[in-house]
């Protein structure tokens, strides 16, 4: 659908020039496929004398920088805010981000994130400026990454934690054998 939109707008069409295919791939992979984002890119790229490469690279860098800040801000909530406060208790964003990374492309339902505070308390934090890496989908009662850039930022920042967890965890067969022996 996103590719079709870009084709219809005559934006970053690989048929026009092979290097545009790489730019299109970068946009779809790093920035995402939201219609408003694609429309903004097309509006900028189709301008006379526009340099598509500079525009796409600048936008990708900007999105990555903003996504990194948003993920950092959520992790900082866990580390910096007073944990004794009833309002803040249960805000384990680092744990939620890790759980979301383990299930790419899926929402994490509130029931599966039982360690989090009630959504009303969580939404209070997520609505703060610069804390938008995660959004709460009220209809699904689930948490989701706001954009693909936020997912990639969390992956960059917490990937080492995921790898360490995987290295410390014994293989499934070993765990089953231990359970059967008991």
């Amino acid at each position: 659908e996103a590719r079709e939109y870009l084709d219809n707008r005559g934006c970053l069409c690989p048929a026009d020039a092979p290097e545009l295919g790489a730019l299109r791939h970068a946009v779809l992979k790093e920035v995402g496929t939201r219609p408003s984002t694609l429309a903004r890119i097309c509006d900028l790229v189709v301008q006379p004398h526009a340099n598509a490469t500079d525009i796409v690279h600048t936008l990708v860098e900007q999105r990555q920088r903003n996504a990194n800040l948003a993920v950092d801000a959520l992790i900082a909530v866990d580390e910096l805010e007073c944990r004794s406060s009833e309002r803040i208790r249960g805000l384990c964003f680092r744990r939620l981000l890790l759980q979301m990374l383990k299930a790419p492309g899926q929402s994490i339902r509130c029931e599966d994130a039982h360690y989090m505070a009630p959504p009303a308390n969580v939404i209070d934090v997520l609505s703060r400026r610069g804390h938008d890496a995660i959004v709460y989908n009220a209809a699904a009662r689930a948490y989701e990454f706001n954009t693909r850039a936020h997912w990639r930022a969390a992956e960059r920042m917490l990937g080492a934690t995921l790898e360490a967890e995987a290295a410390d965890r014994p293989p499934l067969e070993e765990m089953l054998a231990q359970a059967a022996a008991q």
Side-chain angles (χ1 to χ4, degrees):
E1 196 173 302
R3 285 174 172 58
E4 184 179 327
Y5 177 82
L6 292 173
D7 289 342
N8 290 341
R9 291 281 311 263
C11 181
L12 303 175
C13 295
D16 296 340
E19 66 273 4
L20 293 180
L23 291 177
R24 176 183 280 206
H25 179 74
V27 166
L28 298 178
K29 182 178 179 187
E30 296 292 334
V31 179
T33 59
R34 286 195 174 159
S36 60
T37 302
L38 296 176
R40 179 174 174 224
I41 291 169
C42 289
D43 290 345
L44 294 170
V45 169
V46 299
Q47 296 287 324
H49 310 292
N51 183 329
T53 302
D54 289 345
I55 291 169
V56 169
H57 285 267
T58 300
L59 187 59
V60 166
E61 288 172 6
Q62 180 185 25
R63 284 291 170 113
Q64 288 175 345
R65 188 172 39 255
N66 290 342
N68 287 343
L69 291 171
V71 170
D72 265 346
L74 287 179
I75 292 171
V77 168
D78 294 351
E79 297 168 356
L80 299 177
E81 297 205 15
C82 178
R83 291 186 175 272
S84 64
S85 165
E86 282 300 312
R87 195 168 150 273
I88 299 301
R89 197 183 62 157
L91 297 180
C92 303
F93 288 106
R94 181 185 191 87
R95 186 171 172 188
L96 180 61
L97 287 163
L98 286 166
Q99 184 177 359
M100 293 171 74
L101 286 172
K102 291 176 186 175
Q106 297 179 16
S107 300
I108 301 297
R109 294 183 7 230
C110 289
E111 297 80 34
D112 297 329
H114 54 83
Y115 50 85
M116 291 296 288
N121 294 16
V122 175
I123 291 169
D124 182 48
V125 173
L126 297 179
S127 62
R128 294 178 189 168
R129 183 179 175 96
H131 289 70
D132 62 345
I134 297 173
V135 293
Y136 176 71
N137 180 336
R141 289 191 33 81
Y143 301 102
E144 304 168 350
F145 280 106
N146 190 2
T147 66
R148 184 170 289 150
H150 290 103
W151 179 81
R152 294 184 62 77
E155 184 181 47
R156 279 190 302 275
M157 291 181 188
L158 300 173
T161 302
L162 287 174
E163 290 172 14
E165 284 180 7
D168 288 343
R169 189 177 308 128
L172 180 60
E173 296 81 23
E174 186 180 321
M175 290 178 6
L176 292 174
Q178 287 176 354
Q182 293 177 353

